[in-house]
Amino acid sequence: MNKLYSIILITAIAAIAWGSVSCGNGHNGNASYDGIDVSWHQKSIDWEKVACDDNITFVYIKATEGSTIVDPKYHYNIEQARRNGIKVGSYHYFSTLTPIKTQFANFSKALDAHKQDLIPVIDVEAKGNWSRAQLIDSVKHMARLIEKRYHCKPMIYSTMRFYNAFLAPQLNNYPLYIGRYADEKPLIKWEGKYTIWQYSEDGIVTGINHRVDLCTFHEDKSIDDISM
């Protein structure tokens, strides 16, 4: 009986060891990033492996787009990232084709299904047929709805060129998440300051089999500045 028990115990331990992920030192030695952002474009992500990378203090995950689209990987990504101890936030890809009220309803429904660690993000990358004033007013409307619901200012994502051309300085009082794929840090017109700089779209992270955006905090900012 004791011999049989020992065999069962050894088999169980071996099975656990086989299924676990060894992190090693958990560090990408050539990296200087603080976080990443992902969507369905990264396909299936092994979040247990991603969590081994101790560069990653946060991940922003695409939740929704426009008034009806929910990213097909959103629920899986946010559940698995949080389960593996990564602080998560969600972003909405802003559309100029549908009403702000229904875009907010789409976004908030997705967010309310999951615990959020980080402030929401509005991703603004196109103005369509809107004027600059219409775009700014609409983004502000979306931001006010988010602030009323979640009691925090959302962060605004855009590329540096688009932000400076169409959103600055009217949105400079919001936390800014700025894409600039270059060695030079983003420059925001009219004394604006970014909180997060998305500096590469070609990052390589263990557990993600497709290139991923790499992001770093402004030297004066940290995870505390974007926490809920």
Side-chain angles (χ1 to χ4, degrees):
M1 185 67 177
N2 289 339
K3 185 176 181 181
L4 177 60
Y5 176 79
S6 297
I7 293 171
I8 293 171
L9 181 61
I10 291 169
T11 303
I13 292 171
I16 292 170
W18 181 262
S20 65
V21 172
S22 176
C23 286
N25 64 9
H27 186 77
N28 184 339
N30 297 319
S32 59
Y33 50 91
D34 297 306
I36 58 176
D37 59 72
V38 301
S39 69
W40 68 270
H41 290 286
Q42 278 69 46
K43 310 302 180 186
S44 294
I45 296 174
D46 186 332
W47 286 104
E48 192 174 2
K49 290 181 179 178
V50 173
C52 287
D53 187 337
D54 59 14
N55 288 286
I56 297 175
T57 59
F58 71 87
V59 58
Y60 268 102
I61 299 169
K62 183 178 181 180
T64 52
E65 180 174 340
S67 295
T68 59
I69 298 170
V70 177
D71 188 284
K73 290 291 186 180
Y74 175 65
H75 296 294
Y76 169 83
N77 281 338
I78 194 168
E79 287 170 359
Q80 292 301 314
R82 294 198 82 247
R83 182 173 295 174
N84 284 282
I86 303 173
K87 291 185 180 295
V88 299
S90 302
Y91 73 90
H92 173 78
Y93 190 89
F94 189 80
S95 171
T96 60
L97 301 176
T98 61
I100 304 307
K101 184 177 180 180
T102 55
Q103 291 195 56
F104 172 72
N106 186 30
F107 188 43
S108 61
K109 182 179 179 181
L111 262 62
D112 289 351
H114 301 281
K115 171 71 176 175
Q116 306 287 318
D117 302 303
L118 310 175
I119 60 175
V121 169
I122 308 171
D123 179 347
V124 188
E125 301 185 49
K127 76 179 191 72
N129 293 323
W130 287 356
S131 67
R132 184 175 181 276
Q134 286 176 311
L135 179 65
I136 290 169
D137 287 347
S138 297
V139 174
K140 282 185 174 181
H141 185 191
M142 182 78 172
R144 286 192 296 268
L145 291 173
I146 291 173
E147 189 168 0
K148 183 177 180 181
R149 180 67 162 266
Y150 300 104
H151 309 291
C152 62
K153 275 190 172 184
M155 190 153 45
I156 308 298
Y157 171 87
S158 192
T159 65
M160 185 184 78
R161 180 175 295 181
F162 187 91
Y163 184 84
N164 284 333
F166 299 111
L167 300 174
Q170 285 85 347
L171 296 175
N172 281 9
N173 61 327
Y174 287 91
L176 300 179
Y177 189 162
I178 301 297
R180 187 184 193 189
Y181 306 138
D183 293 333
E184 296 83 13
K185 298 175 182 179
L187 298 174
I188 310 300
K189 287 185 177 179
W190 295 283
E191 299 183 356
K193 179 187 288 188
Y194 68 88
T195 296
I196 296 174
W197 170 24
Q198 183 192 80
Y199 69 89
S200 174
E201 59 182 347
D202 292 318
I204 299 174
V205 172
T206 300
I208 303 178
N209 292 326
H210 294 75
R211 300 290 176 140
V212 65
D213 296 328
L214 300 179
C215 311
T216 187
F217 287 112
H218 187 280
E219 55 264 30
D220 296 335
K221 302 294 183 179
S222 72
I223 194 74
D224 294 336
D225 294 289
I226 60 171
S227 295
M228 291 281 277

